[in-house]
Amino acid sequence: MNTETVVTVVIGDVALIVVVSWLLGAAARRCGQPAVIGQIVAGIALGPTLLGRLPGNPTAHLFPKEVLPFLSVLSQVAIVLFMFVAGYEIDARQLRRGGRAAAVVALAALLTPAGLGAGAVQLLPGAFSSVDPRHAGGQSFLMFMMVAVAITALPVLVAIIRERGLAGTPAGTVSTTAAGFMDVAAWLVLAAALVGTGHAPGRHWALTLLLVTAFVAAMFLVLRPVLGWWLHRSRALMANQVTIALALALGSAWVTSSLGLHPVFGGLLAGLAMPRRDGVPDADVLRPMEQSAGLLLPLFFVTTGLSFNIGSLNGDSVLLLALIVAVATAGKIVPAYAAARLSRLDRHQSALVAALVNTRGLTELIVLNVGLEAGIIGREMFTVLVLMALITTFTTGPLLSLIARRTTPGPAVKPTALTGSQGKLTIE
């Protein structure tokens, strides 16, 4: 296939992906799910799971091997931009003042599933080795499984909170802040797991860790103050901020990739390091970066769907899926509910918090792709974990509806240090 043909096919594939993702995203919204759920389904539908099983294997004709690297590059750019937005939106002041309830929920809903995941790998090694014999058993695999069952998808969670009218409620505030805590901790553990894989050939992992630490320090101690000074100069043009943000995200992703980590870490780090305006993300920076990421994200779902094949699952894979779903769901919902109740939230708000923090979605898919590309997991384990992410995310909406029907809301929060004199939630 010559260059001109490759360019033609890539352009046609992008058009197809955008249209199918838009249609299924709209259908998902009509079904009470976030649009991103429909986009994930679109990616899977265009892959070997559905379209590839039709006569003539249309997937192979639409996405020939020669164009996959180009689609993969575009999808990685989308994820870098998405992670920049995720990092830029994290309010460090809110994390510091997140209140006792958010801290307790985050601790319980992160450590419990991570511990259960590690215990399952250690106590039932045969269940994992039967599905992924090449990778199961290693230290990086163990750490990765801890992250895979413990992570919460903050962007999808925020979208659900907005669509359900929970913004500003005790459940919405606590779950959002707790998810921010958990995401930061989970990415740190994943980075440690990735360093241990020897992903950067020819460099000892200790040297890689030292270089990564030095880069993080340079981003926050040197580059951030310099950018803050530059962007607040009286003659600095506002339009330059988007260019600087884009260059920062892609440049940081290039550095982390060169150091042996995945580019997503660079995007997240760039978002965290990007200066804010009076401590708040600048809408003139956030909006175009968010829109750019949103336009390209469907390409990521399709490249994920091309690696996902439900037809490859056997009996052992189904049993492992049931085990992982049970660990991931019970490990989130039960401790999150208990932690919220211990923090004096009522039963209704506690149940909402528990259901919300069990959301995984897009963030989980990014984690799984990082593990697959780094060689921490194989394709069958990848398929099992993608199904787990879809099941836990799909059930969030119906579970919230069930809570709304079955639970009669009481007072927002009982009077504690978390509340003001009028019973309204205040962030300590």
Side-chain angles (χ1 to χ4, degrees), residues 325-418:
V325 169
V327 167
T329 303
K332 281 284 190 184
I333 291 179
V334 175
Y337 179 83
R341 291 291 290 153
L342 286 174
S343 300
R344 303 295 183 87
L345 271 71
D346 62 39
R347 293 181 180 178
H348 177 72
Q349 297 294 329
S350 298
L352 292 175
V353 168
L356 287 168
V357 298
N358 193 44
T359 303
R360 288 174 174 85
L362 177 56
T363 307
E364 178 78 20
L365 294 184
I366 296 173
V367 169
L368 299 183
N369 274 274
V370 170
L372 181 64
E373 292 173 12
I376 301 178
I377 58 174
R379 289 190 180 274
E380 286 194 17
M381 183 63 70
F382 175 81
T383 299
V384 169
L385 292 174
V386 168
L387 282 173
M388 179 272 291
L390 292 176
I391 291 171
T392 54
T393 305
F394 278 139
T395 55
T396 300
L399 188 56
L400 290 174
S401 298
L402 180 63
I403 293 170
R405 289 196 301 267
R406 295 290 182 88
T407 310
T408 301
V413 188
K414 295 180 181 179
T416 66
L418 185 67

